[in-house]
């Protein structure tokens, strides 16, 4: 983590670096593309699997906006933007799903990651609609076209929450130093079993995002995000 902090500091070339820190939910990562405020494309990958089209699956999740109003109190929505996050299954939902599978004599899922990999990644709405998946959005890349957006990832996430995207607001924090980041990691680890979803670690993202959206939001680049991983919970098969 300290090496990551050193690389980030060298890249941004500023005296200090703030970080957007939150629990890393155990699930499947995805990217969704909105054009003109409408969800047009969605892709996901898991482990060694190739990038897959999951638009049909993503549209079945109630927390995912199919359309975003272009003008609102929270600012104008960019003509084209990519928002990313994690699709996951809460512990209670996994328990209920496995109880039903046990009644039918089907093999049980070890964790929510296995459900997402088996069902969500098919990309077919008819399969995903049967499972109460949920989602947290945790990154955004905007192609503004004249729209003014914040250079702070933390502020951007608060803004997209206003647009209707679900973020982990209770778990998210802006840390002003690497010492605060380390403290946040310890806090999340200590409360790991209390979260309603499986937590595989801590997602750490530099808060500075260049105006063109090509910076620290975690879509590419070695210095743009870090997952401080915990040891896997018993039976967990999460990877990627």
């Amino acid at each position: 983590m300290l090496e990551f902090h050193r690389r980030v500091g060298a890249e941004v070339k500023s005296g200090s670096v703030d970080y957007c820190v939150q629990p890393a939910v155990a699930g499947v990562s995805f990217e969704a593309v909105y054009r003109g405020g409408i969800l047009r494309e969605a892709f996901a990958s898991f482990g060694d699997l190739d990038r897959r089209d999951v638009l049909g699956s993503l549209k079945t999740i109630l927390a995912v906006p199919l359309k975003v109003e272009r003008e609102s109190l929270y600012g104008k929505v960019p003509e084209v933007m990519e928002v990313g996050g994690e699709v996951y299954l809460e512990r209670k939902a996994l328990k209920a799903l496995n109880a039903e599978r046990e009644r039918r004599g089907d093999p049980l899922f070890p964790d929510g990651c296995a459900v997402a990999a088996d069902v969500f990644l098919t990309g077919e709405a008819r399969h995903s609609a049967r499972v109460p998946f949920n989602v947290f959005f945790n990154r955004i890349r905007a192609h503004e076209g004249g729209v003014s957006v914040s250079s702070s990832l933390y502020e951007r996430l608060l803004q997209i929450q206003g647009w209707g995207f679900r973020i982990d607001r209770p778990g998210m924090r802006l840390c002003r130093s690497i010492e605060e980041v380390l403290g946040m990691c310890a806090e999340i680890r200590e409360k790991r079993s209390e979260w309603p979803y499986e937590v595989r670690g801590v997602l750490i993202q530099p808060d500075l995002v260049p105006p063109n959206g090509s910076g620290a939001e975690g879509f590419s680049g070695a210095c743009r995000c870090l997952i401080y991983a915990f040891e896997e919970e018993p039976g967990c098969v999460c990877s990627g």
Side-chain angles (χ1 to χ4, degrees):
M1 192 183 301
L2 294 175
E3 174 61 20
F4 171 74
H5 178 60
R6 185 195 65 77
R7 295 201 317 268
V8 171
E11 184 174 288
V12 300
K13 297 179 181 179
S14 62
S16 62
V17 180
D18 296 342
Y19 292 93
C20 182
V21 180
Q22 57 192 299
V25 181
V28 171
S29 295
F30 72 91
E31 297 171 23
V33 180
Y34 286 78
R35 301 182 189 278
I38 299 174
L39 176 59
R40 298 293 190 185
E41 302 173 67
F43 303 94
S45 59
F46 181 79
D48 295 329
L49 297 178
D50 295 332
R51 180 178 167 94
R52 297 188 177 186
D53 182 346
V54 293
L55 183 60
S57 292
L58 195 66
K59 283 184 173 181
T60 67
I61 301 175
L62 296 179
V64 175
L66 302 182
K67 183 178 180 180
V68 183
E69 294 297 327
R70 296 297 308 283
E71 301 276 356
S72 75
L73 295 174
Y74 302 95
K76 187 176 180 181
V77 174
E79 174 64 28
V80 180
M81 65 176 176
E82 300 168 32
V83 288
E86 301 288 329
V87 168
Y88 68 94
L89 194 65
E90 295 195 351
R91 298 180 193 269
K92 287 184 178 179
L94 175 63
K95 185 176 180 179
L97 179 63
N98 272 337
E100 178 61 28
R101 291 178 67 85
E102 187 173 25
R103 283 193 291 270
R104 297 198 307 262
D106 296 335
L108 305 185
F109 288 112
D111 56 31
C113 284
V115 183
D118 186 70
V119 180
F120 177 77
L121 284 177
T122 66
E124 296 186 30
R126 62 191 178 93
H127 296 311
S128 291
R130 301 191 185 108
V131 180
F133 288 118
N134 213 333
V135 62
F136 280 132
F137 290 90
N138 53 35
R139 54 192 184 271
I140 171 176
R141 177 162 55 193
H143 305 269
E144 295 89 356
V147 177
S148 177
V149 293
S150 174
S151 62
S152 162
L153 172 62
Y154 184 82
E155 294 296 332
R156 283 193 181 191
L157 293 179
L158 294 181
Q159 185 175 35
I160 69 171
Q161 181 184 40
W163 292 341
F165 294 90
R166 185 171 183 261
I167 67 172
D168 191 358
R169 187 65 186 90
M172 186 175 74
R173 187 179 301 172
L174 182 62
C175 295
R176 302 291 188 180
S177 67
I178 192 63
E179 289 77 19
E180 284 189 37
V181 173
L182 292 168
M184 185 69 171
C185 289
E187 181 180 330
I188 292 174
R189 187 189 187 105
E190 181 180 354
K191 297 180 178 178
R192 181 183 187 185
S193 62
E194 301 175 14
W195 299 100
Y197 44 80
E198 296 162 9
V199 177
R200 64 188 178 110
V202 183
L203 175 62
I204 303 166
Q205 298 168 284
D207 188 51
L208 181 64
V209 181
N212 65 3
S214 61
E217 60 281 62
F219 281 95
S220 63
C223 291
R224 291 171 184 161
C225 75
L226 173 72
I227 292 181
Y228 175 72
F230 301 150
E231 70 281 0
E232 292 184 352
E233 294 186 19
C236 183
V237 299
C238 297
S239 64

